[in-house]
Amino acid sequence: MSDPRRTSSKRVTLEEVARVAGVSRATASRVVNGVATVDATIRAAVQNAIDATGYVPNLAARSLVTRRADAIGLVLPEESRLAGDPFFETVIRGVMSVIGPSGVHLVLMTMDTNTRDQVVSDLRRGRLDGVILIHTDRDDPLPRQLIEANHPVVMSSRPLHPLPVTYVDVDQTAGGALAAQHLMSLRRNRIVTIAGPQHTSAGQDRHTGFLDAVADPDLPWTEGDFTRESGETSMVHLLRAHPGLDAVFAASDLMAQGAMTVLRATGRRVPQDVAVVGFDDSSAALACDPPLTTVRQPVADMAAEMARLLLARVADPDAPPTRVVFEPTLVVRGSA
Amino acid sequence: MSDPRRTSSKRVTLEEVARVAGVSRATASRVVNGVATVDATIRAAVQNAIDATGYVPNLAARSLVTRRADAIGLVLPEESRLAGDPFFETVIRGVMSVIGPSGVHLVLMTMDTNTRDQVVSDLRRGRLDGVILIHTDRDDPLPRQLIEANHPVVMSSRPLHPLPVTYVDVDQTAGGALAAQHLMSLRRNRIVTIAGPQHTSAGQDRHTGFLDAVADPDLPWTEGDFTRESGETSMVHLLRAHPGLDAVFAASDLMAQGAMTVLRATGRRVPQDVAVVGFDDSSAALACDPPLTTVRQPVADMAAEMARLLLARVADPDAPPTRVVFEPTLVVRGSA
């Protein structure tokens, strides 16, 4: 595996680059280290000199001084849970909006085999400065493990078990209540709901908020897993038991989309026969026909906040944990 | 910015960790460096010893030896072009499926301000070993710049200007022809098409393949930018000029979805009045009602191939460029 570029670099020093570029060593160093305030002409001269000499800067040596990787991890759920869900793309964009301009690397990971070991190992070995964890399950030991080792970590939702961790969330309970109040204001009285997974705080809290606001302990419901497929299956189930239903709250836009497909396939009109409200206000809401009335959580803003909180924790790992909770809003469109 | 964990680590050596764990220095080193074949009990003992001593391994020193960042960049288009397009999520999953298990970091970037400078600087400084470029525009100087500096790079489509670069693509021309042949087999003869952006090879080649197969030089068409919104605008335009049209080929699923919304809003039934064929077979195709007939490009497989090719180039940067072209397939659903 020959690599002339890398081999030859051993002989070129920063002094030589500076000499070829006709600048001081300090200026050459600033260009090499990506300092943003260097004049464009000088930057170009130094970069030409780097090309001409084949210089490769000694980044590893720099890391020995700062002890920072200048890289943070964004840990998404298992790969199989990402497909077709616009939520994660929005999270990535929100985090990128903060991390990108900072020059820090955003390292993407999914919670698959070995990921937990790799995250721990990368933090220990200084390959990552901190991690953002998206949607860990109730029984995942990773958050506690990272916090006990004092690694900078930010979570995307309230942990189901109490944990001294920094997290960002939306007021899920209030969001569920918004959906209920809207359906009741439309005088719907044969309401059903497709809840999210009850082993997540989002699934639990949206459901509790909805039920408390409707105040009907016998309200029919099923549990989905936030996917379109589970919305379809749940809707088939609920229609079989309650063919006269006139309103559905689905705890995610994708489940609402699946429910609407089944409603239409059984000859029901949305919203005339059955009103449908979703949760998220993702791109799936606009892809519905009619467009979906839904509870909006500002996912991109929440993700940007996670990134800011993590950078702050990396700068000061001993700061006490913070919690930031966003307010949901109801977006009324055609479906209810 | 106090950080006791990092400060105290300066005094702890690997020898001390090994002593506390009751293993040899070599074994402790293997655990610290993430070697997969260490027995789980021994690994746990060493990790306990690391926790107890506050040891932080000297990753930077290791990098001085290997001269590898063990990190590759995935450069997506500008952030504004990602929203609501399932293509990029599929690309990320495909690349992750190869990179994730390898222990190499996948660093995500979008082609926004400073990204070109950062990519060049990261490759020069050894913070990245190579990059995958997704959908660069015709006039983007970055691909040529990276190739001339002999940095490992893989592109996601044929460059419009000839360039000695490794790329993965689908046979876009053949895909356009598949769509045309299907609409002709349905005996549609008032066909129109919404092309993709003509400054991209995908937009050009799908259009050329479609036109050549239809063999009608006067076939009405407009140019969209692959988004749902541009599909809506284009459809409004085409319907105004050609109200009797009976078939549409849209060069992306999102544009087909936008077109279908407009067709329905003007009282036209799909497929009875107007047959619609898309391109991609993304999750948007299944969200259409009726589900979209479309030309499938195996995006996840293509992205995985890009990752494999890039890892190979990192291992051997002087290997000649390779091109891998996948075959498209027609997926027939309800819309045509």
Side-chain angles (χ1 to χ4, degrees):
Chain A
M1 292 189 290
S2 73
D3 184 345
R5 187 167 46 84
R6 296 181 185 207
T7 313
S8 67
S9 70
K10 286 182 187 164
R11 280 169 238 126
V12 181
T13 64
L14 186 58
E15 285 72 15
E16 196 167 335
V17 171
R19 189 182 52 74
V20 172
V23 302
S24 70
R25 187 189 182 285
T27 299
S29 168
R30 283 154 59 83
V31 173
V32 165
N33 285 296
V35 175
T37 51
V38 179
D39 178 84
T41 321
I42 293 174
R43 182 188 301 276
V46 174
Q47 292 190 335
N48 287 339
I50 290 171
D51 288 339
T53 57
Y55 172 75
V56 174
N58 195 334
L59 180 75
R62 195 182 76 100
S63 286
L64 284 170
V65 179
T66 66
R67 291 215 159 255
R68 285 274 168 74
D70 286 334
I72 67 149
L74 174 62
V75 186
L76 301 175
E78 305 92 286
E79 198 207 301
S80 61
R81 280 167 61 183
L82 307 185
D85 190 338
F87 178 85
F88 301 106
E89 172 248 334
T90 312
V91 167
I92 291 171
R93 280 193 296 124
V95 172
M96 284 288 291
S97 70
V98 172
I99 301 297
S102 74
V104 170
H105 276 174
L106 177 67
V107 176
L108 204 63
M109 299 170 152
T110 55
M111 200 62 104
D112 290 295
T113 333
N114 293 330
T115 303
R116 286 174 187 77
D117 285 351
Q118 203 198 327
V119 167
V120 172
S121 155
D122 283 347
L123 286 165
R124 277 201 178 119
R125 294 159 67 205
R127 291 194 76 202
L128 288 176
D129 299 323
V131 290
I132 296 174
L133 301 178
I134 306 291
H135 286 186
T136 52
D137 284 336
R138 179 174 44 189
D139 300 322
D140 192 327
L142 184 63
R144 179 173 302 277
Q145 198 180 348
L146 297 181
I147 288 155
E148 287 175 353
N150 199 30
H151 292 303
V153 54
V154 172
M155 291 176 68
S156 67
S157 57
R158 177 179 68 79
L160 262 178
H161 301 302
L163 201 63
V165 65
T166 292
Y167 69 78
V168 173
D169 208 340
V170 73
D171 187 336
Q172 309 280 4
T173 312
L178 281 177
Q181 285 147 11
H182 183 64
L183 290 175
M184 289 189 295
S185 78
L186 299 173
R187 303 183 179 277
R188 305 284 166 148
N189 49 27
R190 295 187 303 280
I191 302 175
V192 303
T193 180
I194 303 171
Q198 297 297 298
H199 60 89
T200 65
S201 59
Q204 273 192 7
D205 295 352
R206 289 173 197 180
H207 192 51
T208 306
F210 185 81
L211 289 187
D212 286 354
V214 175
D216 172 3
D218 297 324
L219 188 125
W221 67 285
T222 56
E223 179 178 344
D225 63 2
F226 288 140
T227 64
R228 185 182 296 140
E229 294 67 36
S230 73
E232 291 182 8
T233 317
S234 296
M235 197 68 249
V236 169
H237 243 73
L238 288 164
L239 280 175
R240 202 170 291 154
H242 309 277
L245 60 85
D246 64 3
V248 182
F249 166 53
S252 76
D253 287 351
L254 288 174
M255 293 198 299
Q257 195 175 39
M260 279 170 72
T261 304
V262 171
L263 289 169
R264 194 157 33 219
T266 59
R268 287 164 172 89
R269 293 165 305 162
V270 175
Q272 295 92 330
D273 301 323
V274 182
V276 179
V277 174
F279 200 113
D280 283 332
D281 195 28
S282 69
S283 60
L286 285 173
C288 287
D289 183 33
L292 188 66
T293 294
T294 187
V295 178
R296 175 164 210 271
Q297 52 171 339
V299 177
D301 294 344
M302 292 163 68
E305 184 66 21
M306 291 176 217
R308 276 188 290 269
L309 289 171
L310 183 61
L311 292 180
R313 291 200 76 72
V314 168
D316 182 6
D318 296 317
T322 29
R323 290 100 202 256
V324 178
V325 178
F326 284 70
E327 278 305 307
T329 46
L330 184 74
V331 181
V332 178
R333 298 201 182 93
S335 70
Chain B
M1 293 189 290
S2 72
D3 184 344
R5 186 166 46 85
R6 296 182 185 205
T7 312
S8 68
S9 70
K10 287 181 186 162
R11 281 169 237 128
V12 180
T13 62
L14 186 59
E15 285 72 15
E16 196 166 336
V17 171
R19 190 182 49 74
V20 171
V23 302
S24 70
R25 188 190 181 287
T27 299
S29 168
R30 283 154 58 84
V31 173
V32 165
N33 284 295
V35 174
T37 51
V38 180
D39 177 82
T41 320
I42 293 173
R43 182 187 301 273
V46 174
Q47 292 190 335
N48 287 339
I50 289 170
D51 289 339
T53 56
Y55 172 76
V56 174
N58 195 334
L59 180 74
R62 194 181 78 100
S63 285
L64 285 171
V65 179
T66 66
R67 291 215 159 256
R68 285 274 167 75
D70 286 333
I72 66 149
L74 174 63
V75 186
L76 301 175
E78 306 93 287
E79 198 207 300
S80 60
R81 279 166 62 182
L82 307 185
D85 191 337
F87 178 85
F88 301 106
E89 172 250 331
T90 311
V91 167
I92 291 171
R93 280 193 296 123
V95 172
M96 284 290 289
S97 71
V98 172
I99 300 297
S102 74
V104 169
H105 276 175
L106 177 66
V107 176
L108 205 62
M109 299 170 152
T110 54
M111 199 64 102
D112 291 295
T113 335
N114 293 330
T115 303
R116 287 175 186 78
D117 285 351
Q118 203 197 328
V119 166
V120 171
S121 154
D122 283 346
L123 287 164
R124 277 202 176 118
R125 294 159 67 205
R127 293 193 74 204
L128 289 176
D129 298 323
V131 291
I132 296 174
L133 301 178
I134 305 290
H135 285 187
T136 51
D137 284 336
R138 178 175 42 188
D139 299 322
D140 192 327
L142 185 62
R144 179 172 302 277
Q145 198 179 348
L146 298 181
I147 288 155
E148 286 175 354
N150 199 29
H151 292 302
V153 53
V154 172
M155 291 177 67
S156 67
S157 57
R158 178 179 66 80
L160 262 177
H161 301 302
L163 201 63
V165 63
T166 293
Y167 68 78
V168 173
D169 207 340
V170 72
D171 188 336
Q172 309 280 5
T173 311
L178 281 177
Q181 284 148 12
H182 183 64
L183 290 175
M184 290 189 294
S185 78
L186 298 173
R187 302 185 178 276
R188 305 283 167 150
N189 49 28
R190 295 187 303 279
I191 303 177
V192 303
T193 180
I194 303 172
Q198 297 297 298
H199 60 88
T200 65
S201 60
Q204 274 191 6
D205 293 352
R206 290 173 196 179
H207 192 51
T208 307
F210 185 80
L211 289 187
D212 285 354
V214 176
D216 172 3
D218 298 324
L219 188 125
W221 68 283
T222 57
E223 179 178 342
D225 64 1
F226 288 141
T227 65
R228 186 182 296 138
E229 293 68 35
S230 73
E232 291 182 7
T233 317
S234 295
M235 198 68 249
V236 169
H237 242 75
L238 288 165
L239 279 175
R240 202 171 291 153
H242 309 277
L245 60 87
D246 65 3
V248 182
F249 166 54
S252 76
D253 287 350
L254 287 174
M255 294 199 297
Q257 194 176 38
M260 281 170 72
T261 304
V262 171
L263 288 169
R264 193 156 35 217
T266 59
R268 288 165 172 86
R269 294 165 303 162
V270 174
Q272 295 91 332
D273 301 324
V274 181
V276 178
V277 174
F279 200 113
D280 283 333
D281 195 29
S282 70
S283 60
L286 285 172
C288 288
D289 181 34
L292 189 66
T293 294
T294 188
V295 178
R296 175 164 210 271
Q297 51 171 340
V299 176
D301 294 344
M302 291 163 68
E305 184 66 20
M306 291 176 216
R308 276 188 291 268
L309 289 172
L310 183 61
L311 292 180
R313 290 200 78 72
V314 169
D316 182 6
D318 297 317
T322 28
R323 290 99 201 257
V324 178
V325 179
F326 284 71
E327 278 305 307
T329 45
L330 183 75
V331 181
V332 179
R333 297 201 182 93
S335 70

